[in-house]
């Protein structure tokens, strides 16, 4: 996600694109930090994988107790097949919520409040 943010071209000379890039980087860093803490709580051996996008997906499958996290991580990168991997990723997040003794219904709020939900899962 970070390379995509930095590679965006700016069409205006005002500071709005710089501000939106800065906000995006802050959201990315906060999300990665909270995921790192969540993976540590779930007992993932390499919780620092949360800081690297594709490895973060692998750590997410590990935290969700998927049988073959490497396979699902690879499948998540293949177009059209990744739809199945996304469903498995949602199931992994449900397992993570249950491990942390939180309601899986919180995941319904993720599209709008992802950083807040991740913070609650990490420290709540």
């Amino acid at each position: 996600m970070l390379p995509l943010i930095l590679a965006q071209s700016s069409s205006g000379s005002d500071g709005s694109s710089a501000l939106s890039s800065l906000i995006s980087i802050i959201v990315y860093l906060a999300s990665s930090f909270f995921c790192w803490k969540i993976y540590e709580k779930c007992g993932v051996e390499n919780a620092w994988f949360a800081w690297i996008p594709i490895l973060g997906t692998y750590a997410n499958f590990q935290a969700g107790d998927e049988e073959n996290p490497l396979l699902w991580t690879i499948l998540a990168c293949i177009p059209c097949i990744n739809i199945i991997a996304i469903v498995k990723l949602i199931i992994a997040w449900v397992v993570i919520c249950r491990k942390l003794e939180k309601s899986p219904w919180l995941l319904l709020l993720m599209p709008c409040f992802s950083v807040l939900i991740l913070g609650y899962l990490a420290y709540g």
Side-chain angles (χ1 to χ4, degrees):
M1 181 171 146
L2 186 60
L4 292 175
I5 293 168
L6 296 176
Q8 292 178 353
S9 63
S10 62
S11 59
S13 61
D14 58 359
S16 65
S17 63
L19 180 64
S20 65
S21 293
L22 180 65
I23 291 171
S24 298
I25 290 171
I26 291 170
V27 167
Y28 174 77
L29 292 174
S31 298
S32 296
F33 178 76
F34 291 142
C35 284
W36 174 50
K37 289 298 183 183
I38 291 168
Y39 300 155
E40 281 183 341
K41 281 185 172 183
C42 290
V44 174
E45 186 174 322
N46 294 319
W48 62 269
F49 281 1
W51 296 96
I52 303 169
I54 294 176
L55 291 178
T57 305
Y58 175 76
N60 202 334
F61 282 123
Q62 277 187 324
D65 295 333
E66 290 296 325
E67 290 183 21
N68 198 344
L70 180 61
L71 172 68
W72 287 109
T73 303
I74 293 169
L75 291 177
C77 297
I78 300 172
C80 296
I81 297 175
N82 66 352
I83 295 170
I84 300 167
I86 289 170
V87 171
K88 290 294 276 188
L89 191 61
I90 292 170
I91 294 169
W93 271 109
V94 169
V95 171
I96 290 170
C97 285
R98 289 188 178 144
K99 277 182 165 182
L100 299 174
E101 299 176 352
K102 305 291 184 213
S103 174
W105 291 101
L106 285 172
L107 298 175
L108 293 175
L109 300 174
M110 283 290 265
C112 297
F113 304 106
S114 60
V115 177
L116 297 175
I117 300 299
L118 290 173
Y120 176 70
L121 290 174
Y123 289 106

